[in-house]
Amino acid sequence: MKKTGAISSLLLAVAIFAVGCGSTESANQTSTSKPPEAGAVGVKKIIVGTGTKFPNVCFIDENGKLTGYDVELVREIDQRLPDYEFEFQTMEFANLLLSLETKKIDFIAHEMEKNPEREQKYLFNKEPYVIWKTRVVVPKENETIQSLDDLKGKRAYTTATSAAAQILENYNKENNNAINIVYSNGSANDAVNQLTQGRADATLGSDFSLPLIDPQGKLKTVGEPLVSSNVLFMFRKDEQEAQVLSDKIDEVIKQLKDDGTLTKLSNHWLGGDYTQ
């Protein structure tokens, strides 16, 4: 009888322990960006690479929360794709492309402009969520620089691996390195200090991004647009799963445009509708 009682006690203890383990696992599964749904075992986790230094686009707010236009757009897309769970991984902008190539992240959300050089190496979704018109940016008091040609012999400040850097580099290839390109891995609003303190003569930027990085209005855009670019999400090329996800994201962006959500996000974060 004593032996039987001991065995019964042991089985009861094992049962309690098993229930306890099950409760812990369930708690871990629910600590995601959105509640698990029926059949959540088939949900695929996607790592989204972004930054923290682009005001109103991807940044850390006063409460320590990652937010901004690109971030909140990805969260909205996440809510409309129940088969996926998106998780952000933040890093310096210059590290995003390498992280994508080495499969540390699955796609990039950081105002990535589509251009021929990038299109050769990466996959972009088809439905743009912002349209950029890139111009030359100079200090407000400057009256001599109006174009890239006016930057010959001068210093142009840009972020390494950016679309703006590609424009400057392409110009230099055709003009015997006429522009002295100053690269930085710093935050977007570093350009204001570089230009106003005379360490660079100009930079490149879009009409909508300038007020975000220069709220005091120390800089201005000049001349005609150098390029008009679609802003899209960037994936690894020639991967079937990436293409499937890209296509599904396109469907959601179309929905967001049709129901006005994308315009609302743009107005809130970017100060106007830059989605068309």
Side-chain angles (χ1 to χ4, degrees):
M1 292 295 292
K2 290 182 180 178
K3 183 175 181 182
T4 303
I7 292 173
S8 299
S9 299
L10 177 59
L11 290 174
L12 178 61
V14 171
I16 292 172
F17 177 74
V19 171
C21 288
S23 299
T24 301
E25 185 178 357
S26 176
N28 288 340
Q29 288 174 347
T30 58
S31 61
T32 59
S33 60
K34 58 184 176 184
E37 303 176 12
V41 290
V43 173
K44 182 174 179 57
K45 178 176 283 189
I46 299 296
I47 306 300
V48 184
T50 192
T52 61
K53 298 179 180 179
F54 198 152
N56 286 39
V57 170
C58 47
F59 70 105
I60 306 296
D61 69 11
E62 63 275 10
N63 298 314
K65 178 189 175 184
L66 176 67
T67 190
Y69 178 68
D70 282 41
V71 173
E72 299 306 329
L73 172 57
V74 168
R75 287 179 174 145
E76 182 65 34
I77 294 171
D78 188 16
Q79 292 298 319
R80 302 192 187 205
L81 290 177
D83 293 340
Y84 294 92
E85 175 193 333
F86 292 172
E87 178 180 303
F88 285 103
Q89 183 169 327
T90 60
M91 62 191 70
E92 295 290 338
F93 177 82
N95 295 331
L96 285 168
L97 295 182
L98 180 60
S99 294
L100 182 65
E101 292 168 5
T102 55
K103 301 187 177 182
K104 292 179 180 177
I105 59 176
D106 296 304
F107 74 88
I108 299 173
H110 197 301
E111 293 292 305
M112 303 302 290
E113 298 171 71
K114 183 178 179 180
N115 60 34
E117 292 80 12
R118 285 177 172 175
E119 198 171 11
Q120 288 179 2
K121 295 183 64 177
Y122 306 103
L123 170 69
F124 290 86
N125 68 297
K126 296 181 175 63
E127 196 72 24
Y129 61 94
V130 169
I131 308 294
W132 273 36
K133 290 182 172 60
T134 302
R135 303 174 190 264
V136 176
V137 177
V138 296
K140 202 141 194 176
E141 65 275 10
N142 188 291
E143 299 296 337
T144 61
I145 297 173
Q146 295 290 321
S147 67
L148 287 180
D149 288 335
D150 295 331
L151 285 176
K152 289 181 178 179
K154 294 183 170 59
R155 293 161 296 179
Y157 181 83
T158 191
T159 303
T161 76
S162 68
Q166 193 72 62
I167 293 172
L168 292 167
E169 290 162 1
N170 287 344
Y171 182 89
N172 269 354
K173 287 178 184 177
E174 299 173 0
N175 292 275
N176 197 29
N177 293 319
I179 300 174
N180 179 14
I181 303 175
V182 180
Y183 293 98
S184 170
N185 292 326
S187 63
N189 54 9
D190 281 347
V192 180
N193 293 330
Q194 294 290 326
L195 270 63
T196 57
Q197 295 177 17
R199 292 195 290 269
D201 300 292
T203 186
L204 304 185
S206 69
D207 292 334
F208 93 77
S209 67
L210 188 58
L212 304 181
I213 67 173
D214 178 32
Q216 296 180 340
K218 296 180 179 180
L219 308 179
K220 64 181 179 180
T221 57
V222 296
E224 295 298 317
L226 302 173
V227 63
S228 179
S229 305
N230 289 338
V231 173
L232 304 155
F233 297 118
M234 183 184 288
F235 305 78
R236 283 185 296 277
K237 201 167 188 177
D238 300 324
E239 287 189 7
Q240 181 60 31
E241 288 187 2
Q243 185 64 66
V244 170
L245 176 57
S246 173
D247 292 342
K248 289 185 177 182
I249 286 176
D250 276 330
E251 293 174 7
V252 174
I253 293 177
K254 289 176 183 177
Q255 295 171 13
L256 296 173
K257 288 181 176 180
D258 290 342
D259 66 22
T261 302
L262 195 65
T263 294
K264 289 179 181 178
L265 286 171
S266 181
N267 284 330
H268 177 78
W269 291 107
L270 307 180
D273 186 3
Y274 295 96
T275 65
Q276 301 180 36

